[in-house]
Every structure is written in C-alpha cells, then in structure tokens.
C-alpha cells in the first residue's frame, strides 16, 4: 500500500510549526535521533532487546492466551482467555519491540511481530471496533462499562501502531489503530455520548496520533475525553459498585482538580494527556490544575525513590505524608508514568525541576522494576523488605514488564530537548544526537560515567558556525533531594558545579534550573561539566512518621539501600549516626558494576544468651536501590535508623 504518512523529519517540522503558537518551551529530541553508547544504559537496553522482549513474547504468545485471543476473535468464536485488558499487553510489547528494533535491528523479531500484527488486524470488526474480550464474550455489551478498558487498549494500540510504523515503515497496525480511533470518535464525540474512560491512556495516545497525522479530530477527541470527567457521567463498576469517582480522577472536572487522588497509573496517564493537550491548545485551566496536583504529588506523596502510590488497596494515593516503606505499593508503571508526565511538564514550562523528579523516578523507582537479567520484574517496589519479596517472571495483570521495556528501549527520548534557538541537556548519558536548531543540524556527542561520577564532556558540531543557547540542566540533587520540603539533606554542603567551554570556566545565568551558555558555536567546541557528587544523608519531613529517626543515603541521582546479603540479615539494626563518613567504591564485578557506599556503623547486637544488647562497629556496604534483589532473597532497607531509639524493620 502506498504510504501517505509523514516522515519523521516532517513530523519534527510540524512540531516546530506548532511551537510558534504553543506555550511549549521545548521539544524532546526523538530517540531515533539519539544513539546511546552509555555504560550504564546501553547494557540495560541490550538486555531489554533480548531477555525482556523474549519474556514478553513467551508470556504473551506461549504461556498465556493473549495472542490466541486475537486468533479466536478473527474467527468470531472461542473462549476468551485471561483478563479483559490483556490486549493492552500485546500492544505494549509491540511498542517496546518497535523501539528496540530501531536500536537493534532483528529480522526474526520483526517477522514475529508482523505475524502478530496480521492476527490483530484480522480480529478487527468491520466498523473498526477491536477488543478481544467483548468480541469473544458478548459484542452487544461493548461500550457499556466504562471501566472495562476498551479505550485504554485502543490507546496502547495507537501508540504501538505509530511506534512500529516509525521503525519499520509498515503501516498495517497503524491503519488498524486509526480505524479504531475513528470508530471511537464516531461512537462518542460525534454523538456527544458521555464516556468517562475508567483507565485513562487514550488521551495521550490520541495526542500522539494528532501529531502524527495532523488531523485535528484526534486533538478534539483527546480534549473531549478530558472534558468528560467530573460531571457525573461515570457508569460501571468503579462508579456503581465501588462509588469511587476519585479512584479514576472523576470527582471533579480536570481543570478544577487541585489534589492527587486515586489510582496512580490512571492519574499519571491522565495528566500526561492533559499536558499534551495543553501544549497545543494553551489551555491555562489544565496548566493551573496540573501545577497544583504536581505539587501535591511531589511535596506530600512521593517516596524518595520517585515511586508513587503508597497503597495497594487502590493501587494508588493515600493520605498526605503517609509513606509506609515495607508495604509501599509504588507500582513500576506508576514510576514509568511519572517519567511521562514530568517530561511533558518540563516541555510546557522549560523548568528543570520536572526533570529532577523524572530522573529520580527513572533511576530508582522505575528501573528497580527490572532485574539485571531482564527477565524478572517487580510490580510493586517497596523500600524495605524482611527478605521474602522477589521479582517475578510474570504477573496475572502484566502491565509492568512491557511498560518498563518500552521505557528503557526509548530512553533516548529523555536526554535532549530542542527549541527554536536552543539545545537542552536534560539527562546525562553517553550518546550522540543530531538536533535541529534554527533549521540547521547540530551534532552533539556526550561522554560521561554518570551516575557513577558527575563529569560530563560534550562535543558540539554545528553544520555551520551558529549562534544558539545551550541549556544545561544543573541537577536539583546538588542542593536538595527534591523540590519542596518532603525531604531535605541532613547536612549543609556547598556543591558548586563548574562548566568550561574549550577549557575556559564559564559564568552563566541560571534560569529555571538550567545553566545557559550563549555562544557562537563552531565544530569541535568542547563543553565540560563538573557536578560534585558526594554521599548525602536525607531526612524526611517530620510529618512522615514512618521515617522518623531515620536517614536515607543518596549519591548523585541514586538512592541507596542496605541489603542483607552484603552485610548480615537484620539490616534494620544498622544505625547511621550523624558524622558517619562514607567511601564510594566502584565494584566492577558487583551487580553489573556499581558504586557501593562503604562505611563503618554501629550495629545493634544481642548476645548469645539473648539477654544483653550492645552495639558493635561493623563495615557496611550499601548498593543502589535499583539493583537490590538480584542475588536471591535478602532483607533490605532504604531508611535506616540514625540513633538507637526504635530499631525494627522499617514499616
Ligand atoms: O488496569 C490496567 C493496569 O493494571 C493498571 O494500570 C495497573 O495499575 C493494574 O491495575
Ligand atoms: Zn504495572
């Protein structure tokens, strides 16, 4: 079939056309224009390309009925296997495969994916509807329960269709997705038939489709979905049986919302979609709402790991400042959602504080969800464990594996940004990028050992000598663990970053967390950035009772934990008093190569008779939080006591 779609460079042009009228301050440089060579991320991307995607295929096609559901739906007969939202896992796996194929071409994997796509397309009904649960159970019941994830699955289909087209140029899945999007538009927006998505996701997907096709109806449909919320239209199990509109952020119209409520992943996807819409429509209502909600999340509800959603009961948010550690839910998908939402907030505002939060969620809460081997996954990411919690091969509800796979394989999306007259450095990872500034290409090469140290070298090569601004994010962790007063460093320490261009130290303006270097750039200009990294002790706002009398350790963007296997079972009896000194030791043979924190600490010990308690100084090793539980079951703690007052495994 003849391709009518825009090429990727043409899409970028479209984004810049929007930029003239949009509030949006910068645009992400697409991962396909970024080649990652980073010692930290590249092995993870390679592992996803092989082990993680293999696991997704094994469980999607062989060990569960997800692909069989499409085969049966194409025949319009057979028993539906699994859960009503399982189609979404197939789409998310294809999206991850699409990104991964761009990084690591693999004809056999592409062939397998093409076979899946044939089956998916064959299952679609003539009117564009596509959901194996309703096709195989009762098609007359479709679109009756707003919780049943039909639109959520459609959203993931759209994202997968675009990603697969962008990598392969093959449009079968994209056309299938567009037929489904058009069906939804016809059934709902064009008839103004109320529909509150029970699990948001379609909004952000429709915005991708809008940018891809430039068809305004998809923007209008995304906005229509947002506007459905908060008017009492919700029907289905969430509303009728549970009476919980706040669970899916439907108690108030989105623009009137000021506090975070309910299910964490639903919330993240909703606000990502709202930010996407606001970036095009400049709707101040969404921006005001999201500023307030973001502050509520970061100032009162976020774990030090960037994980969110403290409670398992609603897979989401509880009361402010209630952040239990051992039972922290912190779903991997919620941290992935934090990455999405904070990226959009950064693009809208040009403020680096959102990247500070994105980085925290990415390097800690999100990648903790993936084992070093790539084939084991955490669904929840607690901050303390008695030693009985392990990553799993798969889950009944298997949203997390493919979500972390698609995030890691598209990591290049988050490193650089661009605007009409500037290049923005958001994350620090060894990479090469081709970035358009003032319609002229600039090649950037970044070399760094981050997050193991804070030295970064950039080589800038504009196609021709050119004036533009380089916005370098100065990480917030240099001065405070996170924006707001939920956490603070226990000690004052002046950490002054240094930037040189061609060996000359620069004075620079700081705007919204970015150092701005204004200059006529020429090929071969070298920028060096030094971000002092030391071990910092973090204390919580006293309102967080669970962390009372406790400290956490951080080095650069990484939160650390103490695992029993490196020390002794009973990590809860290790005390970190004020004045503890830490040595940072890179261990190339541990956990794929990590910086460990080594220190002497008093450990509460009970004598053989069990009658006398004393403290004994012991050598303790802390490891990055994301790397725990890769050597079998072991107890673990992030927040350790700072004095002998109350010693127990952290709640
Ligand atoms: O409902 C689909 C997914 O399952 C959600 O995003 C997760 O939180 C889990 O509930
Ligand atoms: Zn999940």
């Amino acid at each position: 079939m003849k391709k009518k779609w825009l090429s990727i460079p043409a899409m970028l042009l479209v984004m810049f056309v929007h930029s003239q009228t949009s509030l949006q301050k910068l645009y992400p440089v697409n991962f396909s224009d970024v080649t990652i060579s980073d010692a930290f991320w590249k092995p993870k991307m390679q592992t996803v390309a092989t082990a993680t995607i293999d696991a997704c295929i094994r469980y999607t096609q062989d060990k569960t009925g997800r692909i069989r559901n499409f085969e049966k739906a194409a025949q319009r007969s057979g028993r539906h296997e699994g859960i009503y939202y399982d189609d979404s896992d197939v789409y998310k796996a294809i999206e991850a495969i699409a990104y991964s194929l761009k990084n690591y071409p693999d004809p056999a994997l592409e062939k397998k994916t093409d076979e899946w796509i044939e089956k998916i397309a064959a299952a679609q009904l003539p009117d564009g509807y596509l959901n194996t649960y309703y096709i195989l159970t009762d098609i007359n019941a479709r679109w009756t329960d707003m919780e049943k994830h039909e639109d959520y699955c459609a959203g993931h289909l759209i994202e997968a269709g675009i990603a697969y087209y962008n990598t392969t140029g093959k449009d079968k899945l994209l056309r299938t997705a567009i037929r489904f999007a058009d069906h939804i538009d016809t059934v709902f927006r064009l008839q103004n038939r109320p529909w509150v998505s029970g699990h948001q996701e379609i909004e952000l997907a429709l915005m991708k489709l809008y940018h891809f096709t430039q068809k305004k109806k998809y923007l209008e449909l995304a906005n229509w979905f947002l506007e459905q919320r908060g008017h009492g239209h919700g029907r289905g199990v969430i509303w009728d049986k549970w009476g919980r509109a706040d669970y899916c952020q439907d108690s108030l119209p989105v623009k009137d919302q000021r506090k975070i409520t309910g299910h964490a992943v639903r919330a993240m996807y909703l606000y990502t979609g709202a930010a996407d819409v606001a970036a095009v429509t400049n709707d101040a209502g969404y921006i005001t709402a999201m500023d307030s909600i973001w502050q509520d999340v970061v100032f009162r509800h976020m774990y030090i790991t960037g994980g969110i959603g403290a409670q398992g009961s609603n897979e989401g948010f509880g009361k402010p400042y209630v952040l239990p550690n051992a039972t922290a839910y912190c779903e991997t998908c919620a941290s992935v959602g934090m990455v999405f939402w904070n990226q959009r907030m950064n693009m809208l505002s040009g403020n680096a504080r959102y990247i500070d939060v994105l980085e925290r969620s990415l390097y800690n809460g999100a990648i903790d969800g993936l084992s070093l081997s790539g084939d084991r996954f955490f669904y929840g990411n607690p901050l303390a464990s008695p030693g009985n919690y392990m990553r799993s091969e798969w889950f009944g509800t298997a949203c997390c594996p493919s979500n972390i796979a698609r995030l890691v394989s598209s990591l290049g999306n988050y490193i650089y940004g661009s605007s009409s007259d500037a290049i923005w450095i958001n994350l620090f990872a060894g990479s090469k990028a081709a970035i358009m500034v003032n319609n002229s290409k600039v090649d950037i090469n970044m070399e760094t050992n981050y997050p193991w140290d804070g030295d970064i070298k950039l080589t800038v090569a504009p196609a021709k000598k050119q004036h533009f601004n380089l916005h370098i994010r100065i990480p917030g962790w240099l001065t405070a663990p996170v924006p707001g007063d939920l956490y603070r460093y226990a000690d004052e320490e002046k950490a002054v970053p240094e930037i040189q261009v061609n060996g000359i130290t620069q004075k620079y303006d700081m705007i919204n967390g970015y150092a701005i270097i204004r200059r006529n750039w020429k090929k071969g200009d070298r920028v060096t950035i030094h971000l002092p990294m030391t071990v910092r002790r973090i204390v919580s706002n006293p309102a967080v009772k669970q962390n009372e009398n406790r400290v956490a350790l951080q080095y650069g963007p990484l939160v650390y934990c103490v695992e029993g296997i490196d020390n002794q079972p009973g990590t809860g009896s290790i005390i970190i008093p004020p004045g503890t000194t830490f040595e940072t030791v890179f261990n190339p043979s541990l956990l794929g190569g990590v910086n460990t924190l080594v220190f002497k600490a008093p450990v509460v010990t009970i004598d053989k008779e069990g009658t006398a308690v004393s403290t004994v100084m012991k050598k303790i090793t802390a490891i990055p939080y994301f790397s725990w539980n890769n050597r079998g079951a072991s107890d673990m703690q992030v927040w350790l006591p700072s004095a002998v007052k109350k010693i127990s495994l952290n709640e």
Side-chain angles (χ1 to χ4, degrees):
M1 185 180 295
K2 212 157 170 257
K3 309 275 183 305
K4 283 194 296 191
W5 311 115
L6 298 169
S7 65
I8 293 167
M11 282 173 61
L12 289 176
L13 192 70
V14 170
M15 295 171 97
F16 279 107
V17 171
H18 286 306
S19 74
Q20 290 162 11
T21 51
S22 167
L23 281 182
Q24 192 158 339
K25 303 289 186 300
L26 65 147
Y27 293 83
V29 173
N30 192 280
F31 84 100
S32 59
D33 293 320
V34 179
T35 307
I36 308 259
S37 51
D38 193 63
F40 182 84
W41 284 108
K42 196 170 176 194
K44 295 196 190 316
M45 293 168 74
Q46 272 167 337
T47 304
V48 165
T50 51
T52 312
I53 284 175
D54 275 1
C56 290
I57 292 175
R58 202 163 50 250
Y59 275 91
T60 302
Q61 176 185 276
D62 307 326
K63 293 200 170 188
T64 72
R66 285 170 169 82
I67 294 295
R68 281 195 297 277
N69 282 338
F70 285 100
E71 290 167 356
K72 293 180 210 169
Q75 302 302 319
R76 313 285 186 254
S77 83
R79 188 180 59 84
H80 181 268
E81 297 175 61
I83 310 174
Y84 54 81
Y85 41 68
D86 280 357
D87 291 358
S88 64
D89 301 325
V90 181
Y91 303 145
K92 268 155 70 187
I94 294 178
E95 189 186 343
I97 289 169
Y99 300 142
S100 195
L101 283 176
K102 188 89 198 172
N103 304 325
Y104 304 104
D106 177 342
L109 179 59
E110 188 172 329
K111 185 163 172 278
K112 154 82 47 209
T113 314
D114 289 342
E115 286 163 16
W116 281 11
I117 289 170
E118 288 298 325
K119 293 177 185 181
I120 292 166
Q124 187 164 41
L125 298 187
D127 67 0
Y129 183 81
L130 178 50
N131 183 286
T132 65
Y133 174 75
Y134 279 111
I135 293 174
L136 293 174
T137 54
D138 177 6
I139 194 60
N140 296 318
R142 68 180 176 172
W143 301 128
T144 54
D145 182 343
M146 298 177 185
E147 207 282 325
K148 277 292 191 297
H149 290 51
E150 291 152 283
D151 47 82
Y152 166 90
C153 291
H156 281 304
L157 171 61
I158 293 168
E159 288 198 87
I162 294 172
Y164 201 68
Y165 173 80
N166 279 343
T167 295
T168 63
K170 295 175 186 167
D171 65 1
K172 189 152 203 167
L173 193 67
L174 179 59
R175 289 186 184 281
T176 306
I178 287 177
R179 273 196 295 275
F180 197 7
D182 290 344
H183 166 89
I184 293 171
D185 198 34
T186 308
V187 171
F188 295 107
R189 182 181 68 100
L190 295 178
Q191 302 184 38
N192 208 15
R193 170 178 160 187
W195 187 266
V196 180
S197 173
H199 194 313
Q200 304 89 321
E201 141 69 21
I202 192 163
E203 306 84 353
L204 76 90
L206 286 167
M207 288 308 296
K208 285 192 179 177
L209 192 56
Y210 162 67
H211 285 297
F212 189 88
T213 61
Q214 294 184 76
K215 289 196 173 152
K216 215 169 157 214
K217 66 178 174 180
Y218 301 122
L219 164 66
E220 287 167 355
L221 184 56
N223 196 37
W224 183 89
F225 271 113
L226 292 175
E227 288 185 342
Q228 289 295 296
R229 315 192 86 78
H231 302 290
H233 296 322
R235 294 287 172 275
V237 66
I238 293 171
W239 299 268
D240 306 340
K241 200 165 158 197
W242 303 351
R244 295 289 310 280
D246 64 340
Y247 172 80
C248 58
Q249 300 79 36
D250 182 36
S251 296
L252 291 168
V254 177
K255 289 177 198 166
D256 295 338
Q257 295 179 15
R258 296 292 179 269
K259 298 271 183 225
I260 192 72
T261 68
H263 187 274
V265 184
R266 284 164 163 87
M268 292 304 103
Y269 290 177
L270 168 66
Y271 301 127
T272 301
D276 284 340
V277 169
V280 175
T281 62
N282 295 338
D283 194 323
Y286 289 132
I287 295 168
T288 306
M290 282 187 293
D291 279 345
S292 173
I293 297 163
W294 185 88
Q295 290 187 20
D296 196 34
V297 172
V298 175
F299 296 1
R300 289 176 279 276
H301 290 271
M302 187 177 78
Y303 285 91
I304 192 64
T305 54
I308 52 164
Q311 304 182 156
S313 55
N314 62 346
E315 295 192 301
F317 297 93
K319 294 202 170 94
Y321 301 111
V322 179
L323 296 170
N325 290 307
T327 60
Y329 197 69
C330 289
E331 185 181 336
T332 300
C333 288
S335 288
V336 172
M338 279 288 268
V339 172
F340 295 162
W341 184 32
N342 279 286
Q343 184 196 36
R344 294 346 194 256
M345 295 298 281
N346 168 256
M347 300 291 156
L348 266 179
S349 64
N351 196 315
R353 69 182 184 160
Y354 299 108
I355 303 297
D356 292 337
V357 174
L358 180 159
E359 183 184 61
R360 182 167 295 274
S361 298
L362 175 67
Y363 277 85
N364 300 288
I367 57 169
D368 184 54
L370 183 65
S371 68
L372 294 183
S373 60
D375 59 355
R376 297 283 186 287
F377 309 93
F378 276 147
Y379 193 109
N381 296 271
L383 283 79
S385 166
N388 57 0
Y389 189 63
M390 300 281 289
R391 290 186 183 83
S392 302
E393 277 188 35
W394 199 247
F395 310 98
T397 289
C399 45
C400 298
S402 52
N403 225 356
I404 193 65
R406 67 182 180 143
L407 178 70
V408 171
S409 50
S410 61
L411 179 88
N413 279 335
Y414 302 95
I415 299 172
Y416 302 95
S418 69
S419 54
S420 57
D421 63 349
I423 290 176
W424 305 61
I425 310 293
N426 271 339
L427 296 181
F428 306 106
S431 53
K432 281 192 165 67
I435 303 175
M436 297 300 289
V437 193
N438 282 329
N439 295 324
S440 180
K441 185 164 82 85
V442 178
D443 288 322
I444 297 259
N445 185 27
M446 191 182 324
E447 293 167 86
T448 180
N449 202 21
Y450 196 90
W452 310 128
D453 70 42
D455 290 318
I456 298 126
K457 272 192 224 153
L458 298 173
T459 312
V460 182
K464 56 181 190 318
K465 201 169 175 187
Q466 192 185 343
H467 187 278
F468 60 87
N469 300 340
L470 189 63
H471 295 210
I472 301 167
R473 173 175 152 257
I474 301 299
W477 53 253
L478 283 169
T479 44
V482 287
D485 67 354
L486 187 51
Y487 304 103
R488 66 176 174 81
Y489 289 136
D491 304 308
E492 287 284 316
E493 195 179 290
K494 221 170 163 40
V496 183
E498 189 184 348
I499 300 178
Q500 295 188 342
V501 178
N502 298 334
I504 298 167
T505 300
Q506 304 289 300
K507 284 202 176 120
Y508 50 82
D509 291 337
M510 278 295 291
I511 301 179
N512 288 333
Y514 289 96
I516 316 289
I517 312 287
R518 301 181 175 89
R519 191 183 161 83
N520 269 316
W521 297 93
K522 60 175 186 340
K523 202 168 177 177
D525 280 341
R526 281 171 301 105
V527 181
T528 55
I529 306 159
H530 173 66
L531 307 171
M533 267 191 200
T534 54
V535 180
R536 306 300 302 265
R537 292 180 308 121
I538 297 172
V539 291
S540 290
N541 185 310
V544 184
K545 295 296 170 218
Q546 291 85 1
N547 297 342
E548 204 174 355
N549 180 38
R550 287 176 186 272
V551 294
L553 302 177
Q554 182 175 302
Y555 178 80
L558 296 176
V559 174
Y560 275 70
C561 68
V562 175
E563 199 175 11
I565 191 169
D566 299 305
N567 300 289
Q568 56 167 51
T571 48
S573 53
I574 298 166
I575 300 163
I576 308 189
T580 305
T581 53
F582 302 89
E583 201 189 340
T584 309
V585 181
F586 185 74
N587 184 340
S589 55
L590 182 69
L591 297 163
V594 293
N595 266 353
T596 57
L597 309 185
V598 181
F599 54 101
K600 287 236 167 75
V603 177
V604 176
T605 314
I606 304 175
D607 74 352
K608 280 196 196 114
E609 288 71 42
T611 51
V613 176
S614 58
T615 57
V616 177
M617 289 302 283
K618 291 198 176 162
K619 184 178 149 199
I620 303 298
T621 301
I623 57 166
Y625 168 73
F626 75 80
S627 66
W628 84 279
N629 192 240
N630 277 290
R631 295 165 293 168
S634 191
D635 63 322
M636 179 279 290
Q637 292 218 78
V638 169
W639 289 97
L640 292 155
S642 54
V644 190
K645 282 187 191 157
K646 183 181 159 204
I647 305 292
S648 64
L649 175 73
N650 197 197
E651 294 152 7

